[in-house]
Amino acid sequence: MNRAPTFDESWHRVENRRVRLRPGVEIFPQRFRGQRWYVVRDALGNRFFRIRPPAYRFICEMERSATVGEAWDRTLDNAAEEAPGQGEIVQLLSQLHQSGLLRSDIEGDVATVFAAQQKEHRRQVTGQWANLLFIRIPLINPDRFLQRTLPLVSWLISRAGFVIWLALLAFGAKAIVENWAEFRAETGGLLGADNLPWLYAAIIVIKGLHEFGHGYFCRKYGGEVPQMGIMLLLFNPLPFVDASSSWAFREKGKRALVAAAGMIVEVFLASVAAIVWANSGEGLVHSVAYNVVITASVGTLIFNLNPLLRFDGYHILSDLLEVPNLQGRATRTALYMVEKYFFRLPNSTNPADTKTETFWLVFYFVAAFIYRILLLVGILLLVSHWFFVIGMLLAIGFAFMWLVMPVVKAVKYLWSSPRLEARRGRAVGLTLALFITIFGVIAFVPMPNHFRAAGVVRADPFAHVFAGTAGKVSEIIVASGTMVEAGQPLLRLTNFELDREIELASLSLQVAQMQQREALEFDPVRHLSLEGYLTATRARLAKFTAEKEALVVVAPAAGRWIAPEMISVVGATLQRGTELGVVQGEGSHYLAAEVRQADVARLFGGNVKGTGVKIRGQEQHTLAVSDLQAIPADRDPASQDPRKRGRGGIQGMDPRRGSPSSEPFFEVRAFLVPQSECYLVHGQQAVARLDLPWEPLLTQWVRSLRQLFQRNYRV
């Protein structure tokens, strides 16, 4: 760990002050990674702070000394090597004072202490409302209820309870695995209008039991649970309890168990619900059990177990790694890196103990920041898709919190932070230079620009083969897998009813011709009337004759005849239009990919500088393309009829949704240049990367944002 500098420019502000801890503040020892720490507890406000032994010894000396300076001198006399520096003492006193835990000679009365407490309370309330997605509203004190009912559930928080939990988990997992196909199929109706009330009810009940799990585990190990209320998570009311007293537990295992208690309860509920679901038929019980399984398992894995959010997984990771206040320490470590290596502050202290810990704390800070941004953007897109006005209001609020407020805090830090007194000019200058440089690079420096389009490899030619008329499969002329020429017979059907129809039509034609010749001599008027009947009879005969010719199915194009299932339908009767197989070429393949109308203009007009295609499963090869073209796609669902497709192009539907496309799109076709190492098969999935002229990142981002609004909100 880096040794903190002894002296600090702000020391004169506190050196001659008389400071004491406020009555009601308690201190408990703890051990982290073999080192002793101390937990400072504010019993009145139920808040906890962790400090190191040097800070604890200084607080003890402060209680016996007349001034802060005298307390520091005593600390130096007792343990000069471990004594905190002046900067650390200034920071410690500032944090304790802002939290209303100190009384000093400049305060002197209860009113001032009360004002500090009110200020801290307002700060907490402001912080709650500033975080619009996670607003907490305390309602009751459940501690007495938990104490009275603890004997009823205490036996579950034991080794016997753990064995029961494991057994239920095993049986629940077994039930899901054995019925996986059915379980997966039911996800389609999860967000249906009929199921949403049950899903929401399951969430409310499960989260309530989740919070009671935290409370009972905390009470089991001697902690207090002073608050219970409602948390507006994404504006949805969910219960919460305050089990922060577990932070004072000496054993990290107990602290981790309290943090994991909610997830333990949810996994228990999910296991029981899975067993009920697997052993119940269609009905209300079956549906409710399914909702419980999904809510108590997926929600736990995505949110509660994720350590990048300050939920249960975060506290578990913090306790298991023995890193108190992981997020705050990561933030201070990132700030230390800026101060040490960017501002070159001589008095900067590293909160981490080793270089490895410094790396991982900075990595955690960056990963958590990026994840929160992505999560909030995803939530905004989801909400605004259904409720545009609410989504826009949330976007404004988040822009203020994540853009305006950080800038305001950064300016305040640069302008007034005591830590920068000796380097303020350098810090401000470097920050401005960095901001201008980053903005200049983003706004003016051309960067690589490319466009990706997912698609499907198609053989050229590729033609579906259909039964032109109904009939019984009597002979397979060409076996599946054989190369054929255009017009070559593939299989033969027979239709005895069609033969009878042809015979009847032929006889009808002969009779009509005889009647017309007879009428020519004796009844000219009737002769003329029979002309129309003869025409209809000839057309009917021609139709039946054409259908008989269609009983011999021929190849529509040259290629390989693929019909692996035909051998199993010999002797079966097929209806007209039944797909029999395909004929696909092997010498030429092209990629058929879909591009929205808003994007297609970027690909043409000489803008494409290079194109490469990667085949899924053969990503080590990049195929070149030729003859790049865009074809407007039809939005008529009828074009999905295979008989109306072109040479393999998808016409008319957005395949990702399986429904008619809500906006025009183009089918981009690019013929692939074959490679001997890359094997091409019709139907393979592929991705094309089309390199475009370089543009500044700001231009690319603005275009993407504009297209997002046009596509999702039609603005």
Side-chain angles (χ1 to χ4, degrees):
M1 178 178 177
N2 293 349
R3 177 66 181 152
T6 303
F7 303 102
D8 188 87
E9 292 86 348
S10 304
W11 179 247
H12 65 278
R13 300 182 179 182
V14 299
E15 181 179 9
N16 297 319
R17 301 300 182 190
R18 179 180 177 85
V19 178
R20 299 286 188 275
L21 285 179
R22 181 172 55 78
V25 177
E26 302 173 335
I27 301 180
F28 304 93
Q30 282 186 348
R31 299 193 70 83
F32 291 94
R33 299 184 182 179
Q35 299 180 0
R36 181 177 289 271
W37 284 68
Y38 291 88
V39 176
V40 180
R41 180 196 178 197
D42 174 18
L44 185 61
N46 194 45
R47 292 173 298 166
F48 297 85
F49 308 88
R50 289 187 176 98
I51 59 175
R52 290 181 178 273
Y56 171 74
R57 287 192 290 269
F58 170 76
I59 290 176
C60 294
E61 295 294 344
M62 192 171 61
E63 295 291 326
R64 297 192 291 264
S65 304
T67 64
V68 172
E70 182 179 337
W72 185 57
D73 292 337
R74 287 174 176 266
T75 305
L76 287 175
D77 293 339
N78 293 333
E81 292 297 325
E82 298 181 357
Q86 292 178 349
E88 291 178 299
I89 292 176
V90 171
Q91 184 177 5
L92 172 66
L93 295 178
S94 176
Q95 292 174 346
L96 294 176
H97 175 73
Q98 290 176 2
S99 301
L101 302 184
L102 293 181
R103 55 177 180 170
S104 69
D105 55 353
I106 62 173
E107 294 171 345
D109 54 26
V110 177
T112 307
V113 175
F114 182 69
Q117 293 176 351
Q118 286 186 318
K119 181 178 179 181
E120 173 65 13
H121 178 71
R122 287 193 300 270
R123 185 190 66 80
Q124 293 179 351
V125 172
T126 303
Q128 281 288 334
W129 286 99
N131 196 353
L132 294 175
L133 293 182
F134 311 102
I135 300 174
R136 289 191 172 192
I137 305 175
L139 296 178
I140 61 173
N141 185 337
D143 198 60
R144 181 175 297 181
F145 172 81
L146 293 175
Q147 281 182 301
R148 291 179 177 179
T149 56
L150 182 61
L152 300 177
V153 298
S154 180
W155 65 276
L156 289 173
I157 311 175
S158 62
R159 293 183 179 179
F162 178 66
V163 172
I164 295 174
W165 184 85
L166 282 179
L168 286 173
L169 176 60
F171 282 114
K174 179 175 178 290
I176 297 297
V177 171
E178 291 178 348
N179 300 275
W180 176 247
E182 181 184 353
F183 184 84
R184 184 177 180 182
E186 290 191 28
T187 58
L190 188 65
L191 298 179
D194 295 338
N195 188 64
L196 280 179
W198 297 111
L199 180 63
Y200 190 74
I203 293 175
I204 295 294
V205 173
I206 289 172
K207 294 306 176 185
L209 296 175
H210 174 111
E211 296 302 322
F212 272 107
H214 288 304
Y216 279 119
F217 269 74
C218 185
R219 253 292 155 206
K220 171 76 173 181
Y221 299 130
E224 297 179 5
V225 185
Q227 283 185 359
M228 185 173 189
I230 295 176
M231 175 176 64
L232 299 180
L233 180 63
L234 303 181
F235 301 104
N236 290 312
L238 297 174
F240 83 92
V241 298
D242 182 1
S244 57
S245 61
S246 63
W247 296 352
F249 295 167
R250 294 189 178 185
E251 297 89 345
K252 69 176 182 180
K254 292 182 178 179
R255 296 195 300 269
L257 277 175
V258 172
M263 291 185 290
I264 292 173
V265 171
E266 289 201 32
V267 171
F268 175 85
L269 295 173
S271 301
V272 174
I275 297 172
V276 173
W277 171 83
N279 293 277
S280 61
E282 294 293 332
L284 180 60
V285 174
H286 186 83
S287 177
V288 171
Y290 186 81
N291 286 314
V292 171
V293 174
I294 294 295
T295 303
S297 57
V298 177
T300 293
L301 294 176
I302 294 178
F303 290 100
N304 292 101
L305 197 59
N306 190 339
L308 298 179
L309 299 173
R310 295 202 65 171
F311 292 137
D312 299 339
Y314 165 83
H315 297 292
I316 295 172
L317 180 65
S318 180
D319 285 321
L320 295 181
L321 295 180
E322 297 188 347
V323 181
N325 192 17
L326 175 60
Q327 189 177 80
R329 197 171 183 186
T331 303
R332 292 194 300 272
T333 303
L335 180 61
Y336 158 78
M337 298 295 288
V338 174
E339 292 179 343
K340 178 71 174 179
Y341 298 103
F342 191 59
F343 295 159
R344 299 289 183 179
L345 293 186
N347 58 346
S348 185
T349 304
N350 189 357
D353 295 328
T354 63
K355 292 183 178 180
T356 302
E357 186 179 28
T358 299
F359 169 80
W360 285 114
L361 286 175
V362 173
F363 176 83
Y364 178 86
F365 171 80
V366 175
F369 178 79
I370 294 175
Y371 182 80
R372 287 196 297 269
I373 292 293
L374 294 177
L375 179 64
L376 291 176
V377 170
I379 292 172
L380 280 178
L381 293 176
L382 179 63
V383 173
S384 59
H385 179 74
W386 297 102
F387 308 101
F388 179 74
V389 175
I390 296 177
M392 291 302 99
L393 292 176
L394 284 177
I396 294 173
F398 288 145
F400 179 78
M401 288 191 304
W402 292 90
L403 295 178
V404 178
M405 289 302 296
V407 172
V408 171
K409 290 181 180 179
V411 171
K412 183 179 179 181
Y413 166 76
L414 292 172
W415 189 259
S416 60
S417 174
R419 301 173 62 83
L420 299 179
E421 286 187 1
R423 296 288 191 277
R424 196 174 307 281
R426 174 186 176 88
V428 173
L430 287 175
T431 302
L432 287 175
L434 178 63
F435 174 79
I436 293 173
T437 301
I438 293 176
F439 180 80
V441 170
I442 293 175
F444 302 109
V445 177
M447 293 291 180
N449 184 19
H450 61 268
F451 182 87
R452 282 190 173 90
V456 179
V457 174
R458 298 199 178 277
D460 185 44
F462 181 84
H464 293 266
V465 179
F466 303 96
T469 187
K472 181 185 295 185
V473 180
S474 61
E475 180 185 2
I476 297 178
I477 302 173
V478 177
S480 176
T482 306
M483 295 296 295
V484 297
E485 298 295 331
Q488 181 177 345
L490 302 175
L491 67 154
R492 180 176 287 107
L493 308 177
T494 57
N495 189 329
F496 294 105
E497 294 181 358
L498 183 59
D499 292 338
R500 303 289 81 77
E501 292 288 350
I502 292 175
E503 291 178 5
L504 289 175
S506 298
L507 290 174
S508 297
L509 180 61
Q510 293 176 12
V511 171
Q513 288 174 340
M514 291 175 58
Q515 290 176 347
Q516 188 183 43
R517 286 194 297 269
E518 181 180 356
L520 181 62
E521 297 183 16
F522 304 104
D523 192 353
V525 176
R526 187 168 181 269
H527 175 271
L528 293 176
S529 65
L530 286 172
E531 186 65 35
Y533 176 73
L534 280 170
T535 302
T537 304
R538 290 191 186 98
R540 185 162 172 262
L541 179 60
K543 172 179 174 295
F544 290 144
T545 303
E547 290 182 359
K548 183 174 180 62
E549 293 176 356
L551 290 173
V552 178
V553 181
V554 299
R560 188 174 298 279
W561 163 236
I562 300 176
E565 298 180 359
M566 277 299 99
I567 191 68
S568 63
V569 297
V570 174
T573 299
L574 305 180
Q575 298 300 317
R576 180 176 181 271
T578 302
E579 184 171 351
L580 305 176
V582 297
V583 174
Q584 72 174 49
E586 296 184 346
S588 178
H589 293 81
Y590 67 93
L591 176 72
E594 289 185 359
V595 177
R596 299 182 184 276
Q597 186 180 38
D599 298 324
V600 73
R602 303 169 56 194
L603 306 181
F604 300 99
N607 291 331
V608 179
K609 303 303 181 183
T611 305
V613 175
K614 288 186 178 294
I615 309 299
R616 180 163 296 183
Q618 305 180 70
E619 288 83 358
Q620 68 273 22
H621 305 295
T622 300
L623 300 179
V625 302
S626 63
D627 192 19
L628 187 67
Q629 55 183 293
I631 303 170
D634 182 13
R635 290 187 292 175
D636 180 9
S639 63
Q640 284 302 291
D641 188 338
R643 292 167 293 182
K644 297 182 180 180
R645 290 177 180 167
R647 55 177 186 179
I650 302 174
Q651 308 257 340
M653 281 182 143
D654 188 342
R656 294 168 297 179
R657 294 189 292 268
S659 59
S661 175
S662 60
E663 63 176 299
F665 62 90
F666 282 72
E667 181 184 323
V668 174
R669 293 182 180 178
F671 280 86
L672 303 175
V673 177
Q675 292 183 4
S676 57
E677 302 86 0
C678 187
Y679 185 64
L680 297 177
V681 177
H682 180 89
Q684 289 174 308
Q685 295 183 344
V687 176
R689 170 175 167 145
L690 300 99
D691 295 321
L692 305 174
W694 286 25
E695 290 181 332
L697 291 176
L698 184 61
T699 303
Q700 299 181 36
W701 294 345
V702 169
R703 180 192 299 110
S704 299
L705 184 63
R706 185 175 64 250
Q707 292 177 352
L708 174 67
F709 274 84
Q710 291 173 346
R711 181 169 61 250
N712 291 344
Y713 314 117
R714 304 295 185 266
V715 295

